[in-house]
């Protein structure tokens, strides 16, 4: 359950773990968050015929005919090197780490996650490609469990054997609340839809209200876009309206997503006058000739002032000519009201 957000020992000393920098998030201090998505790590060479006797066959054919030419592991390696100069406080990966959801891909993606940082530094929410078909939990998502779980005080199940035991998740870093929402579920062929579901939405409402009462800056990470109209009907979030309504009622300062394979930057205005920034990242491994779909990631610098949060967003975009990531769009500072 999510009844209390600080134990008595946590109140006496600032949050600390072996992987998060010791920063005091009082007024004037900064928190640096990196957001990337959809690496689509493939491992198709050991694919057996029995692995393709389901929806995976279509995904395998698309990979061989199209996506293999676009997604490259070398871009992920270049991204990893680029991140060393950023030294973020935390990294969020919004799904589709694998392409076919094969156990071998989960193992390969696990190694990639370890190259980014430890579980306390990196948070993951799954995507529809990760949940392509129903599979053995121990051979797949269990490999990433440490990167998906909530901080120990906020876990609502000791034994995790599926998404229902896990999401929504909550990690608190200083005055920052990182909230993971799962929209990934197996779907029919030719569909890439996502669904949150009423039980998860109810838990999310509790988390948003309680973190708001704590005066935390709330960042929601989800794979599918939370707003209607960003994706087609067959790739949509089926309960986007319910999520929209929930955020309108309870608020959230920032929503991060992937799935669309193009850069998205929108705002959601609530009747109370609060603005929620919604950002979608491209595929982190994409060599697309289209600039808007080429590999990129985002850097959010969050600064607490006396009665508000200042948010500065920088985009880093892969440059195929230079074989490195270079500065992309830079979004003007946004001031969001909050209690520090």
């Amino acid at each position: 359950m999510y009844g209390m957000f600080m134990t008595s020992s946590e109140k006496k000393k600032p949050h600390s773990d072996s992987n998060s920098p010791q920063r005091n998030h009082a007024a004037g201090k900064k928190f640096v968050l990196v957001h990337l998505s959809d690496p689509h790590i493939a491992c198709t060479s050991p694919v057996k015929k029995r692995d393709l006797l389901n929806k995976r066959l279509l995904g395998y054919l698309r990979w061989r005919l199209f996506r293999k030419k676009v997604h490259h592991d070398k871009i992920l390696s270049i991204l990893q090197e680029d991140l060393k100069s950023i030294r973020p406080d935390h990294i969020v990966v919004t799904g589709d780490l694998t392409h076919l959801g094969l156990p071998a891909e989960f193992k390969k993606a696990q190694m990639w996650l370890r190259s980014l940082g430890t579980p306390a530094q990196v948070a993951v929410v799954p995507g529809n490609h990760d949940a392509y078909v129903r599979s053995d939990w121990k051979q797949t998502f269990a490999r990433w469990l440490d990167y998906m779980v909530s901080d120990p005080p906020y876990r609502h199940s000791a034994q995790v054997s599926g998404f229902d035991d896990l999401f929504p998740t909550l990690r608190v870093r200083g005055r920052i609340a990182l909230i993971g929402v799962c929209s990934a579920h197996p779907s029919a062929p030719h569909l890439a839809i996502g669904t949150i579901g009423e039980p998860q939405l109810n838990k999310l409402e509790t988390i948003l209200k309680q973190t708001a009462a704590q005066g935390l800056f709330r960042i929601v990470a989800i794979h599918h876009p939370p707003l209607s109209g960003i994706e087609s009907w067959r790739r949509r979030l089926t309960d986007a309206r319910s999520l929209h309504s929930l955020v309108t009622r309870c608020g959230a300062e920032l929503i991060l997503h992937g799935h669309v394979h193009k850069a998205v930057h929108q705002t959601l205005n609530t009747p109370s006058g609060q603005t929620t920034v919604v950002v979608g990242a491209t595929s982190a491994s994409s060599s697309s000739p289209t600039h808007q779909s080429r590999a990129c990631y985002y850097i959010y610098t969050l600064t607490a002032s006396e009665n508000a949060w200042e948010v500065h967003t920088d985009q880093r975009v892969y440059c195929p000519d230079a074989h490195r990531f270079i500065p992309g769009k830079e979004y003007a500072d946004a001031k969001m009201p909050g209690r520090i």
Side-chain angles (χ1 to χ4, degrees):
M1 298 299 292
Y2 299 97
M4 293 296 291
F5 286 103
M6 287 191 179
T7 63
S8 57
S9 60
E10 286 176 313
K11 290 179 180 178
K12 295 177 182 178
K13 60 184 179 179
H15 174 83
S16 173
D17 56 50
S18 59
N19 307 291
S20 57
Q22 296 299 308
R23 295 188 181 184
N24 175 21
H25 302 291
K29 298 299 180 179
K30 300 181 185 299
F31 183 89
V32 179
L33 176 73
V34 159
H35 168 216
L36 55 97
S37 195
D38 295 70
H40 281 274
I41 296 170
C43 193
T44 56
S45 54
V47 175
K48 299 177 181 179
K49 289 184 178 179
R50 67 171 179 267
D51 294 327
L52 302 179
L53 297 177
N54 47 43
K55 181 180 176 179
R56 285 195 183 115
L57 177 59
L58 297 175
Y60 178 78
L61 293 175
R62 279 194 291 267
W63 175 265
R64 299 294 297 182
L65 296 174
F66 307 108
R67 289 195 167 185
K68 184 179 180 180
K69 302 174 184 178
V70 176
H71 299 280
H72 301 287
D73 287 351
K74 67 178 182 180
I75 298 179
L76 296 178
S77 298
I78 296 171
L79 187 154
Q80 178 188 346
E81 288 298 314
D82 197 65
L83 283 175
K84 290 180 180 179
S85 64
I86 306 301
R87 299 184 62 189
D89 292 290
H90 210 78
I91 298 173
V92 172
V93 186
T94 50
D96 278 4
L97 281 72
T98 70
H99 187 67
L100 296 177
L102 292 165
E105 293 178 338
F106 273 85
K107 186 175 182 179
K108 188 175 177 181
Q110 179 186 30
M111 297 172 62
W112 176 72
L113 286 172
R114 288 174 177 172
S115 74
L116 294 181
T118 62
Q121 290 175 305
V122 182
V124 171
V125 294
N128 57 288
H129 276 261
D130 305 319
Y132 223 55
V133 298
R134 298 189 184 280
S135 55
D136 185 343
W137 176 267
K138 292 182 180 180
Q139 294 297 317
T140 55
F141 291 102
R143 293 186 177 276
W144 306 345
L145 185 58
D146 289 345
Y147 289 90
M148 294 191 293
V149 293
S150 300
D151 289 336
Y154 320 127
R155 295 179 191 175
H156 55 91
S157 178
Q159 298 295 324
V160 177
S161 59
F163 293 152
D164 292 340
D165 300 327
L166 189 58
F167 291 99
T169 58
L170 175 64
R171 297 180 175 198
V172 176
R173 300 293 182 266
R175 306 302 299 169
I176 312 296
L178 300 166
I179 303 166
V181 175
C182 178
S183 61
H185 300 280
S187 59
H190 302 294
L191 291 180
I193 58 174
T195 301
I196 302 172
E198 186 174 352
Q200 192 179 176
L201 285 168
N202 290 337
K203 295 175 186 176
L204 177 60
E205 181 170 5
T206 299
I207 293 176
L208 289 176
K209 287 180 177 178
Q210 293 188 353
T211 49
Q214 293 272 338
L216 303 183
F217 186 98
R218 298 160 298 170
I219 301 172
V220 177
I222 184 171
H223 179 65
H224 288 79
L227 301 179
S228 301
I230 296 178
E231 265 292 10
S232 65
W233 180 87
R234 72 177 191 87
R235 293 172 53 84
R236 74 198 189 283
L237 179 66
T238 61
D239 42 11
R241 289 185 178 179
S242 297
L243 179 58
H244 188 159
S245 176
L246 175 58
V247 173
T248 298
R249 294 195 312 272
C250 303
E253 283 65 54
L254 185 61
I255 301 179
L256 311 178
H257 69 86
H259 191 56
V260 295
H261 287 212
K262 63 181 180 181
V264 176
H265 191 278
Q266 296 184 323
T267 57
L268 170 62
N269 296 316
T270 67
S272 64
Q274 180 179 348
T275 297
T276 300
V277 178
V278 179
V279 181
T282 67
S283 166
S285 63
S286 174
S287 62
S288 172
T290 304
H291 187 272
Q292 191 181 17
S293 299
R294 193 174 300 153
C296 82
Y297 68 90
Y298 290 92
I299 306 167
Y300 308 92
T301 303
L302 313 175
T303 306
S305 60
E306 186 174 353
N307 294 305
W309 289 91
E310 295 183 1
V311 183
H312 190 84
T313 306
D314 294 286
Q315 184 190 55
R316 299 281 293 175
V317 182
Y318 177 66
C319 176
D321 294 332
H323 300 290
R324 63 186 179 91
F325 281 78
I326 60 174
K329 291 184 178 180
E330 181 177 341
Y331 297 92
D333 290 348
K335 290 194 175 183
M336 300 179 181
R339 187 176 76 249
I340 307 305

